[in-house]
């Protein structure tokens, strides 16, 4: 495979992972009764809020760390030649897909981390734009990395 194309795929995967991180500034959960979500953005949900007495959500923190590692791994994979580049892109794809899947379970993880505060059947918590866009860009970066792994393995 062409070195330039390998680098483009690595940078593209890293950009997708960065965008997945930056969209976390959007509202984390869906609105309740046509009002803005009172829980805040994904970072507030993930790391907890002492003013609202909400606990941190470990599953989302692990997903965030995986996204951060994927950014660096994608840049490294872009510089690796041949079969080693293929392995690097597989690692990036696994990191991004695992992180995106963790954000798919954000409402359940949030309820589990804050079980003492939130009654399980009183509130229905749904995915908001922040979690959904994090999943979308995580999966897109994972797909781009899988393409990079395939083309490097074939070369």
């Amino acid at each position: 495979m062409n070195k330039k194309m390998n680098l483009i795929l690595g940078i593209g995967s890293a950009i997708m992972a960065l965008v997945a991180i930056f969209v976390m500034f959007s509202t984390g959960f869906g609105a309740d009764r046509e009002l803005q979500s009172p829980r805040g953005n994904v970072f507030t949900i993930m790391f907890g809020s002492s003013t609202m007495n909400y606990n941190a959500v470990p599953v989302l923190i692990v997903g965030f760390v995986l996204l951060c590692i994927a950014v660096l791994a994608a840049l490294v994979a872009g510089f690796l030649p041949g079969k080693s580049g293929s392995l690097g892109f597989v690692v990036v794809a696994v990191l991004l897909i695992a992180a995106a899947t963790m954000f798919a379970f954000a409402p359940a993880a949030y309820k589990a981390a804050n079980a003492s505060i939130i009654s399980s059947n009183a509130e229905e918590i749904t995915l908001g734009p922040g979690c959904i866009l994090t999943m979308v860009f995580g999966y897109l970066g994972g797909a781009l990395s899988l393409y990079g792994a395939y083309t490097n393995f074939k070369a």
Side-chain angles (χ1 to χ4, degrees), residues 29 37-40 44-57 110-111 113-119 123 125:
F29 292 135
S37 176
R39 291 180 184 84
T44 303
I45 291 166
M46 184 181 354
F47 295 116
S49 173
S50 60
T51 59
M52 293 188 280
N53 293 327
Y54 287 129
N55 300 324
V57 182
Y110 182 76
K111 282 184 177 181
N114 295 294
S116 61
I117 302 165
I118 302 172
S119 71
E123 299 180 55
I125 299 174

Side-chain angles (χ1 to χ4, degrees), residues 13-38:
S13 295
I15 288 173
M16 291 293 175
L18 280 173
V19 171
I21 292 170
F22 285 127
V23 296
M24 288 185 201
F25 286 107
S26 182
T27 305
F29 292 135
D32 185 27
R33 297 186 190 129
E34 304 295 325
L35 301 173
Q36 188 70 9
S37 176

Side-chain angles (χ1 to χ4, degrees), residues 5-155:
M5 184 66 170
N6 203 24
L7 184 60
I8 289 171
L9 288 172
I11 291 173
S13 295
I15 288 173
M16 291 293 175
L18 280 173
V19 171
I21 292 170
F22 285 127
V23 296
M24 288 185 201
F25 286 107
S26 182
T27 305
F29 292 135
D32 185 27
R33 297 186 190 129
E34 304 295 325
L35 301 173
Q36 188 70 9
S37 176
R39 291 180 184 84
N41 63 24
V42 179
F43 287 112
T44 303
I45 291 166
M46 184 181 354
F47 295 116
S49 173
S50 60
T51 59
M52 293 188 280
N53 293 327
Y54 287 129
N55 300 324
V57 182
V59 172
L60 298 181
I61 293 172
V62 170
F64 174 69
V65 169
L66 291 179
L67 286 172
C68 292
I69 294 170
V71 171
L72 297 174
L75 292 174
V76 169
F79 287 105
L80 295 175
K83 305 282 191 238
S84 59
S86 180
L87 179 64
F89 278 119
V90 167
V91 168
V92 173
V94 167
L95 289 170
L96 288 174
I97 291 170
T101 304
M102 287 179 187
F103 280 94
F105 295 106
Y110 182 76
K111 282 184 177 181
N114 295 294
S116 61
I117 302 165
I118 302 172
S119 71
S120 60
N121 38 346
E123 299 180 55
E124 183 177 333
I125 299 174
T126 59
L127 288 173
C131 289
I132 291 171
L133 289 173
T134 300
M135 289 171 15
V136 167
F137 286 106
Y139 287 133
L140 284 175
L144 190 61
S145 295
L146 286 176
Y147 176 72
Y150 171 73
T151 53
N152 272 323
F153 185 74
K154 201 173 176 191

